[in-house]
Amino acid sequence: MPVTMEKLVSLCKRRGFIFPGSEPYSGLAGTYDYGPLGVELKNNIKRAWWKRVVQQRDDIVGLDAAILMNPKVWEASGHVAGFADPLVDCRKCKARHRADTLEPPGACPQCGSEDLTDARPFNMMFRTFVGPMEDTASQTYLRPETAQAIFVDFPSILATARKKLPFGVAQIGKAFRNEITPGQFLFRLREFEQMEIEYFVKPADWERVFAEWLQFMQDWMAACGIAPERYALREHADDERAFYSKRTIDIEYHFPFGQKELYGLAYRTDYDLTQHAQHSKQDFSYFDEVTKERIVPHVIEPSVGVDRMVLAVLLEAYHEIEGGRSTTTESTKEAEVVLKLPKELAPIKVAVLPLSKKEPLAAKAQEIVRELRTRWMVAYDDVASIGRRYRRQDEIGTPYCVTVDFASLEDGKVTVRDRDTMTQDRIAIPDLVGHLSDLLGC
Ligand code: ATP
């Protein structure tokens, strides 16, 4: 049975993955907070991505730039003039909506009235003031994308990183958009995170590199546990693409509320570097040692939202088993939730469960916890029956449970139970770290 948003949101709240932001004050639309388990999942996604794009490659370097930038950046990039969605007002109920997503088309989604104003552009950048004066001279914006900092820093990176074309710069960071209608949980936020790469190429190479990144993106989807049939590749039509882009393909995931953009790949030509060169009057060119030519590199941009990725990973992992799993020690006849997260992404890698709270079992279990904690996020749970404890761990996606029982005191072995297969193996305590390392692969 496919998971509904209602069930997922409820699990996230119940188990401390994700809560609405500013909750005691009735929330703040378009913001969510990642709780103790959510932050682990999100960090694991970011770490896994960074490992694949920066650590394991020779041709990409990392960057962590400031969120606040000189407002001239946003003039040069075209965001001041053009980063807008069409806004309409309902004359009857005064609600405001994004004109291109009205459901039903031409009518107010709130009251149904068709008495709407003409659409007008609404700039989605959040404005703020730098320094003690609140005037236009001190006004700047919270960045609406991480990409521009990479372009702005291109000359510094070129001068210091000793890279030759093709090479890329990767960045993970917050972006802010004053979306007209935030919603659908983590899908459309006003504060979110992006993982972006600007990959610089010689103009003649763009098609080959574009195809390579499209493949990389699909490999990444697989690493996140998302099978190809759960998403579609959608090529943007000529009239839909941003004016500077020569080709755009989105990976659209089958969310419960429809097939929507998760990951975008765009060929941005030399638009951004040229714009910044013109506006800043600085040199954004690259000198090719072989041809002895100076060129402005072209750019391929794979860009993904971390929060949308978290949402897709959770939707994909969510499995509900009606009537419970047959071999649990207690049959509750209740539906059981198993979060089949890829092991690399699971917030908690191992849970240690002593069969009894009493000594000397508890001390033995704590000793094991101390050792495992030097490598992984570990949970310790000694409350309620063992079946119930397994279910608690299944629900948050913990790949392995280590049960310490009375026999452990005699034979020096513990039981390692697998989340997905529910198989149980007796492992000698001195072999436990090696055994779990092999199983977890990390
Ligand atoms: P959409 O059409 O859904 O508004 P977009 O085309 O404007 O998205 P991009 O500018 O291409 O999005 O941003 C790159 C990525 O950042 C998107 O693929 C998405 O994963 C993420 N993203 C964009 N806007 C939001 C948002 N409001 N909340 C969460 N993630 C977002």
Side-chain angles (χ1 to χ4, degrees), residues 77-79 82-84 145 148 151 177 234-250 261 265-272 299 301:
S77 67
H79 282 79
F83 193 62
E145 60 174 35
Q148 290 307 319
F151 299 128
R177 296 183 187 178
R234 194 177 69 81
E235 172 109 36
H236 282 213
D238 288 345
D239 58 355
E240 187 189 355
R241 272 195 314 268
F243 63 93
Y244 51 78
S245 171
K246 286 264 178 65
R247 190 171 186 203
T248 300
I249 293 183
D250 286 343
E261 173 177 345
L265 178 64
Y267 168 39
R268 295 177 76 122
T269 67
D270 59 354
Y271 172 77
D272 304 274
V299 171
E301 177 192 74

Side-chain angles (χ1 to χ4, degrees), residues 116-420:
L116 306 177
T117 60
D118 287 341
R120 58 193 188 286
F122 171 75
N123 195 301
M124 288 193 289
M125 283 197 292
F126 277 101
R127 270 169 285 194
T128 188
F129 300 95
V130 175
M133 305 296 276
E134 293 205 357
D135 55 21
T136 46
S138 64
Q139 180 183 294
T140 189
Y141 308 92
L142 301 187
R143 68 180 178 201
E145 60 174 35
T146 58
Q148 290 307 319
I150 300 181
F151 299 128
V152 169
D153 287 346
F154 176 77
S156 301
I157 293 169
L158 195 58
T160 54
R162 305 178 66 227
K163 293 289 170 201
K164 296 208 180 331
L165 290 182
F167 75 91
V169 181
Q171 184 171 213
I172 302 178
K174 290 262 179 167
F176 302 82
R177 296 183 187 178
N178 198 4
E179 297 277 357
I180 297 169
T181 40
Q184 278 138 350
F185 196 34
L186 303 177
F187 182 78
R188 193 168 298 286
L189 300 171
R190 288 186 170 135
E191 174 176 343
F192 57 98
E193 252 180 303
Q194 292 183 313
M195 304 194 284
E196 292 196 300
I197 296 165
E198 304 305 325
Y199 198 80
F200 301 99
V201 298
K202 292 183 185 175
D205 293 338
W206 82 266
E207 274 171 303
R208 176 181 54 79
V209 174
F210 191 94
E212 285 167 9
W213 277 108
L214 195 57
Q215 186 55 50
F216 172 90
M217 288 159 66
Q218 293 169 85
D219 294 344
W220 167 252
M221 296 291 283
C224 290
I226 305 176
E229 59 273 18
R230 302 286 302 133
Y231 62 86
L233 302 183
R234 194 177 69 81
E235 172 109 36
H236 282 213
D238 288 345
D239 58 355
E240 187 189 355
R241 272 195 314 268
F243 63 93
Y244 51 78
S245 171
K246 286 264 178 65
R247 190 171 186 203
T248 300
I249 293 183
D250 286 343
I251 290 188
E252 296 188 334
Y253 177 75
H254 297 298
F255 289 100
F257 42 86
Q259 180 182 311
K260 306 260 187 208
E261 173 177 345
L262 170 61
Y263 208 154
L265 178 64
Y267 168 39
R268 295 177 76 122
T269 67
D270 59 354
Y271 172 77
D272 304 274
L273 293 183
T274 304
Q275 284 294 105
H276 288 302
Q278 282 170 2
H279 283 247
S280 68
K281 307 199 170 37
Q282 303 289 314
D283 184 11
F284 280 72
S285 67
Y286 169 89
F287 184 69
D288 189 334
E289 301 283 354
V290 181
T291 61
K292 304 292 177 206
E293 275 177 345
R294 230 167 227 293
I295 59 161
V296 176
H298 282 219
V299 171
I300 306 291
E301 177 192 74
S303 168
V304 60
V306 181
D307 312 83
R308 284 189 192 178
M309 205 70 227
V310 169
L311 179 55
V313 163
L314 284 169
L315 286 165
E316 212 57 27
Y318 190 102
H319 288 76
E320 198 173 70
I321 295 136
E322 286 299 331
R325 297 209 274 187
S326 55
T327 54
T328 46
T329 33
E330 292 169 5
S331 176
T332 56
K333 303 281 178 244
E334 287 166 15
E336 285 178 30
V337 174
V338 183
L339 218 47
K340 295 190 178 176
L341 291 167
K343 293 171 196 172
E344 190 181 8
L345 305 184
I348 306 288
K349 302 285 189 256
V350 188
V352 177
L353 318 173
L355 212 58
S356 152
K357 277 186 189 171
K358 299 205 181 92
E359 300 301 353
L361 223 52
K364 188 86 212 153
Q366 284 292 356
E367 196 184 307
I368 293 171
V369 166
R370 276 196 297 279
E371 182 168 10
L372 299 184
R373 271 199 181 139
T374 62
R375 288 162 185 264
W376 302 292
M377 284 297 294
V378 175
Y380 180 80
D381 187 1
D382 60 6
V383 178
S385 72
I386 197 75
R388 194 174 279 274
R389 283 186 264 166
Y390 282 150
R391 283 201 295 280
R392 276 206 286 265
Q393 295 303 324
D394 288 347
E395 202 180 43
I396 62 168
T398 306
Y400 297 102
C401 288
V402 171
T403 310
V404 186
D405 55 28
F406 294 102
S408 307
L409 300 173
E410 307 290 314
D411 65 2
K413 290 182 176 174
V414 288
T415 303
V416 176
R417 182 255 196 193
D418 181 300
R419 174 194 73 197
D420 299 334

